[in-house]
Amino acid sequence: MIRTISSAPIAGQKPGTSGLRKKTSAFMEPGYLENFIQSIWNGIGGVQGKCLVVGGDGRYFNTKAVQIILKMAAASGASKVIVGQGGLLSTPAASHLIRLKKADGGIILSASHNPGGLDGDFGVKFNTSNGGPAPEAVTEAIYQASLGLSEYLILEAADLDLSNVGLTRLADMTVEVVDPVNDYADLMEKLFDFEAIRTLFSNGFTLAFDAMHAVTGPYAHEILVRRLGADETSVLNATPLPDFGGGHPDPNPVWAHELMTKMMQPDAPDFGAASDGDGDRNMILGRQVYVTPSDSLAVIAANAHLAPGYVKGLAGVARSMPTSSALDRVAEARGLECHATPTGWKFFGNLLDAGRATLCGEESAGTGSDHIREKDGLWAVLMWLNILAKRQISVAEVMRNHWQEFGRNYYSRHDYEELDATAAQELIDELRQRLDQMAGQELGALTISAAEDFSYKDPIDGSITTGQGIQIHFIEGARLVLRLSGTGTSGATLRVYMERFNSGPSGLESDPQEALAEVITACEKLTSLRQRFGRERPDVIT
Ligand code: G16
């Protein structure tokens, strides 16, 4: 029986950088999830007769939420829902399934790298039929729908058993429970030289992949161990847990410290990597080497042709604006179109769909290509393995060679978390007001050449997105970017991105924080942010 439940708008259901992210407890409030799901249905013109993909990263409340969504899809007339077995799907696998099955869209349940559990975060994201995160026009329509919501529809029915693969029904709707891993693993096998990687492993190459108790465990086991022959012990923290084992499933040097410590030893494995809660982020390490996401993107751009799926070369490349311009150096040298977009994978969608970019990436540990419409953690790991298998050199040598050829963009991001949201916004507003007077200003050893509030005009649909971060260029070949995160759930997170170019051939092996010291000083002189927020140091340095 379909029930119509009267409801009323709930404040704050506005999707951020990547869907709606809130405390799990907020999502579990009666009607909270239901209101947002109905707002999605209303915002996209209903789901009558449509086919949707549904799955999540297995965090606390995932199983319950999947059941609610199935009942709401059935009540609103969806013809079919394809759901990952046990309600699990990594974000890249969900994106692939939407494309593979020609679905009309999908719902991904994840707060990505944010901690999970009852005290952690939960999230809901709507992806469109291209497999990618809904563009701004769609998320805005969903938000508007949430503001006018008066009721939601839900089927009164028992929960479905999602533990077995196969077809079943919920009232008039077909439910197809699929293996969450297989189709994705098959796609990877088409893109990369599995034979070469298998040979690499059989010759004694060693790997440590940290799944951080999140969704990639089963994917990594199937692909790296079963299909590629890496040792069983290569996948660490492989069992997905609803609270990620109490950890923070964010693959960066701070949160993946267990792997970092292991990889910084002289006898570390040849290659290390980690992924996040929902499997779309990655961290790349070599023995005693950390590769920044921006450098990883540039290395992939320069070497992608070594993988069978990219042997014809790249149509173009794209990075988010705060990501370092190491990618631009490769693009320039190789004559590739190169785009800088606002932060958020959704901004790459049109470029990928139009064939203007093959490879995209972000400083926030996201890299991917036109094989799907999300960033893809394991894809990046396999790309690196493919490059190492073909080039037969170590990660350290890959980096050294890369910097010698293209120069090095020293890069770091400093995060100040849980700041007072009003005070953080005031800082950004103040900087915005001073932008016109900044050119020529000296900040310690550096002089500002240009300053702007980044805005982006999508070259495909002409849509304009403004207020995407304060970007300051220095004549010395350095850059400073300040913006507020759109993915946090408490207070505000201020992200400060810094880069400085060194064309080499000397000075290419410095410590990034030292190489960036003058940019760090310039930032403090411009913002007094440590004093302003009473913080001695950033909470996270990547
Ligand atoms: C999301 C977005 C990324 C973005 C990242 C950080 O990633 O998809 O495009 O770079 O958040 O965004 P912010 O700086 O606004 O916090 P994920 O992995 O959290 O879905």
Side-chain angles (χ1 to χ4, degrees), residues 72-392:
M72 290 187 67
S76 284
S79 61
K80 184 174 181 181
V81 170
I82 299 161
V83 59
Q85 191 178 10
L88 283 186
L89 280 177
S90 75
T91 291
S95 180
H96 177 49
L97 266 184
I98 294 170
R99 297 167 66 76
L100 182 73
K101 306 270 187 180
K102 300 195 169 24
D104 296 290
I107 292 196
I108 302 174
L109 304 171
S110 174
S112 186
H113 54 288
N114 297 16
L118 187 53
D119 300 327
D121 294 345
F122 193 80
V124 174
K125 193 166 74 148
F126 177 70
N127 282 29
T128 48
S129 60
N130 71 346
E136 294 233 298
V138 178
T139 52
E140 183 56 25
I142 293 170
Y143 177 53
Q144 290 304 326
S146 81
L147 296 176
L149 198 90
S150 59
E151 61 184 31
Y152 63 83
L153 302 185
I154 189 158
L155 191 76
E156 205 170 73
D159 284 357
L160 277 187
D161 178 5
L162 303 177
S163 57
N164 295 309
V165 167
L167 285 174
T168 170
R169 289 193 83 76
L170 192 57
D172 293 335
M173 185 176 85
T174 304
V175 177
E176 184 182 358
V177 182
V178 297
D179 180 287
V181 177
N182 274 341
D183 290 319
Y184 174 82
D186 291 348
L187 174 65
M188 293 301 112
E189 206 155 347
K190 286 195 196 109
L191 297 175
F192 299 110
D193 190 340
F194 270 36
E195 199 48 55
I197 303 173
R198 256 194 300 269
T199 307
L200 186 72
F201 283 125
S202 64
N203 288 339
F205 182 90
T206 49
L207 158 82
F209 176 86
D210 190 348
M212 303 188 87
H213 286 303
V215 79
T216 45
Y219 294 84
H221 190 269
E222 169 66 20
I223 296 171
L224 300 172
V225 177
R226 224 189 59 74
R227 298 197 188 195
L228 288 170
D231 191 79
E232 190 82 32
T233 56
S234 310
V235 184
L236 315 170
N237 301 318
T239 309
L241 298 173
D243 66 346
F244 308 121
H248 195 137
D250 194 357
N252 65 38
V254 175
W255 296 115
H257 49 84
E258 184 188 334
L259 180 70
M260 273 304 274
T261 309
K262 189 181 178 80
M263 292 304 299
M264 292 306 132
Q265 307 304 317
D267 60 346
D270 295 299
F271 184 68
S275 191
D276 69 333
D278 60 332
D280 57 2
R281 294 187 176 203
N282 73 88
M283 175 168 76
I284 301 295
L285 301 155
R287 181 178 303 125
Q288 299 188 299
V289 192
Y290 164 66
V291 182
T292 68
S294 295
D295 273 349
S296 171
L297 174 65
V299 166
I300 292 176
N303 293 278
H305 60 278
L306 299 174
Y310 304 88
V311 78
K312 294 199 186 110
L314 307 172
V317 293
R319 63 168 170 89
S320 65
M321 176 276 281
T323 304
S324 96
S325 31
L327 178 69
D328 308 39
R329 312 262 165 219
V330 178
E332 205 186 326
R334 301 283 160 88
L336 297 172
E337 207 176 294
C338 182
H339 303 265
T341 62
T343 295
W345 202 263
K346 59 192 169 196
F347 293 104
F348 294 134
N350 279 345
L351 294 169
L352 292 164
D353 284 348
R356 297 275 298 271
T358 311
L359 174 72
C360 305
E362 297 185 276
E363 54 68 40
S364 57
T367 332
S369 85
D370 60 357
H371 66 292
I372 54 170
R373 293 294 180 273
E374 288 277 4
K375 54 190 186 273
D376 190 342
L378 270 167
W379 174 91
V381 172
L382 292 166
M383 178 62 95
W384 265 91
L385 287 171
N386 196 135
I387 292 169
L388 296 173
K390 289 290 184 187
R391 292 189 56 183
Q392 296 284 317

